[in-house]
Amino acid sequence: MTEMSPAATAAAAGTTGIKAPGTTPVKTPRGFPLSLAAVNFGVFLSLLTPVLVSMAFKVQHISATPEEATGNLGLIMGVGALFAVIANPLAGRLSDRTTSAWGMRRPWVLGGALVGLGGFVLIGVATSVWVVLIAWCLVQAAMNAALAAANATLPDQVPTESRGKVSGIVGITTPLGILGGSFLVNFIADDFARFVVPGLIATTLAVLFVLVLKDRRLEHKPAHKFTIGQFFGSFAFNPAKHPDFAWTWLTKFLVMFGYAGVATFLPFYLTEKFNLDEQAAISTILLANVASMALMMISSPLGGFLSDKIGKRRPFVAIAGLIMVAGLLLLAFAPSVPVVILAQSIIGLGAGSFFSVDLALATQVLPNPADTAKDLGVLNMANALPQSIAPAIAPGIIALGTATALGGYTVWYLFGAALTLAGAVLVYRIKGVK
């Protein structure tokens, strides 16, 4: 089959009104930022609600002792996040090769949301840790596939100079997802609804996104078949050839460990250190997330706007990381519940700026424009890996900390602060972006 020239491809795309893969958009489609933000909100609502609140109590309900619950939670979260690590870049690469008449990204967004909803139903009815584990792995794989395809539409649809603004809007969806999940769980008593309701919301928003998206189409199958080598290549890149991409990945991993990795055990922290019951802990998490979101709502769009205006990304990532370190240190030594809420709000202030600028920075260091979704998927592994590694190592670190005067959870949060600080410093190893 004869391949079309870039000019011919662009001309053919122009007849359909849909940009061809590999071409740079000149204008952001009306309504696209809000629709992308909506589907991100849905995915984060469905995934982060279990990570931060409901899974801990689900596991507690089906475990015999608190020590068993801690181990079971680490197992479920750790193994499940590995599936997210695999699914995100793999789905991204496959969406780059998808020749569906319905577009490159839409089948993955919708299919992932529907499969994920089925997994949430299984978790809701499960009475066994092993059933929860299997279902959570299914959810992580499916929802991360949807997320990878959805976020690949950012460089598909938005010019480079406007990506800071759009990623700033998208950045707000993380705290909104956390807040929305905390709000729902605070008013939902049973485990089934705590998982299925967020899943239904995510699926509904995914349907709306794919209905309004003018997706790119790949008119011709790629010249080369998808091989085993390409499969494994979906999870790797050459750091020597693309050092900026490598440093971006490492920075993201370290900061996300401090933000998402250590947060999984907050419900246990509240119940054990401050002797709160389940409902009091959920209410405290809701208040903490309200405070965090209020500051994120300010720092996320402001960070993206100023980053575009000044033309720099790295300072905003570095400052955001340092603010998060301050919040984690305060959380580690919190003497009371109000201080926990204050610490979470400070973490939110830093995280808002980080989320808004990080995505814009990432799109400027991608190794290959033809593999946008695959490369973004590799970067998204830096989001998912902390959620796998942190629960796996947390019981050991908490146990070691328990034997010290500081206490288990204090040592755990200090560990997260140290990694976040490293991420804030290492962002300046990125040389191709100011």
Side-chain angles (χ1 to χ4, degrees):
M1 181 180 293
T2 303
E3 293 191 15
M4 299 174 68
S5 69
T9 303
T15 62
T16 64
I18 299 173
K19 284 283 183 182
T23 60
T24 302
V26 296
K27 185 179 180 181
T28 304
R30 179 179 298 178
F32 172 77
L34 292 180
S35 66
L36 179 61
V39 73
N40 269 265
F41 167 77
V43 172
F44 287 129
L45 173 73
S46 66
L47 288 179
L48 293 180
T49 302
V51 168
L52 299 177
V53 188
S54 55
M55 186 64 80
F57 293 119
K58 173 71 179 183
V59 171
Q60 198 172 61
H61 296 159
I62 58 177
S63 298
T65 65
E67 293 75 18
E68 182 180 304
T70 300
N72 287 338
L73 181 62
L75 174 67
I76 292 167
M77 289 300 182
V79 177
L82 286 178
F83 277 76
V85 169
I86 295 171
N88 208 302
L90 179 60
R93 167 156 278 194
L94 291 175
S95 78
D96 283 334
R97 300 172 59 89
T98 297
T99 56
S100 166
W102 208 38
M104 299 171 65
R105 318 298 185 192
R106 292 196 291 184
W108 293 93
V109 175
L110 182 59
L114 290 173
V115 173
L117 178 59
F120 283 121
V121 172
L122 285 177
I123 295 172
V125 301
T127 57
S128 162
V129 169
W130 294 107
V131 174
V132 174
L133 172 62
I134 293 170
W136 181 241
C137 291
L138 180 66
V139 165
Q140 283 279 32
M143 286 299 185
N144 273 277
L147 186 65
N151 284 338
T153 63
L154 175 63
D156 284 351
Q157 305 282 336
V158 182
T160 302
E161 65 274 10
S162 299
R163 290 176 190 171
K165 299 182 185 69
V166 176
S167 63
I169 295 172
V170 174
I172 299 175
T173 63
T174 300
L176 284 176
I178 294 172
L179 178 62
S182 302
F183 181 83
L184 287 174
V185 172
N186 192 57
F187 293 100
I188 297 175
D190 66 285
D191 285 330
F192 181 80
R194 285 178 177 178
F195 288 92
V196 174
V197 171
L200 280 171
I201 293 172
T203 303
T204 301
L205 293 175
V207 170
L208 294 175
F209 177 74
V210 299
L211 288 177
V212 301
L213 176 67
K214 293 182 179 179
D215 199 3
R216 291 186 169 192
R217 296 195 193 111
L218 188 62
E219 301 291 348
H220 303 280
K221 291 183 179 180
H224 302 288
K225 293 183 178 180
F226 190 66
T227 64
I228 295 296
Q230 287 179 320
F231 170 80
F232 287 107
S234 298
F235 316 109
F237 59 94
N238 187 336
K241 188 176 180 181
H242 305 288
D244 281 351
F245 188 75
W247 288 115
T248 300
W249 193 98
L250 183 59
T251 296
K252 190 180 188 74
F253 171 86
L254 292 170
V255 175
M256 288 305 298
F257 193 107
Y259 179 74
V262 301
T264 300
F265 292 86
L266 183 60
F268 292 166
Y269 178 53
L270 291 171
T271 55
E272 292 184 24
K273 181 173 181 177
F274 301 104
N275 297 315
L276 302 183
D277 59 26
E278 180 176 318
Q279 186 56 48
I282 291 174
S283 298
T284 299
I285 292 171
L286 174 60
L287 289 174
N289 288 335
V290 168
S292 177
M293 191 210 70
L295 293 182
M296 272 190 170
M297 291 286 287
I298 297 171
S299 64
S300 186
L302 183 61
F305 172 78
L306 291 177
S307 177
D308 282 345
K309 188 75 173 177
I310 298 172
K312 294 183 179 181
R313 310 292 190 197
R314 295 183 303 175
F316 292 92
V317 173
I319 293 171
L322 293 175
I323 294 172
M324 293 171 68
V325 168
L328 286 165
L329 291 175
L330 185 61
L331 181 62
F333 295 103
S336 63
V337 170
V339 176
V340 170
I341 296 172
L342 175 62
Q344 287 290 95
S345 67
I346 293 173
I347 294 171
L349 177 66
S353 178
F354 176 80
F355 291 139
S356 68
V357 181
D358 171 68
L359 183 56
L361 185 153
T363 63
Q364 294 179 233
V365 298
L366 299 179
N368 186 357
D371 281 333
T372 295
K374 175 262 182 184
D375 293 331
L376 285 175
V378 171
L379 276 174
N380 281 330
M381 290 168 61
N383 285 333
L385 270 175
Q387 298 176 44
S388 176
I389 296 173
I393 67 175
I397 294 176
I398 293 171
L400 289 174
T402 303
T404 70
L406 291 174
Y409 288 102
T410 295
V411 171
W412 177 233
Y413 289 121
L414 287 175
F415 181 72
L419 294 187
T420 303
L421 177 61
V425 173
L426 290 176
V427 71
Y428 278 96
R429 299 289 295 180
I430 302 168
K431 302 301 183 183
V433 179
K434 293 181 180 180

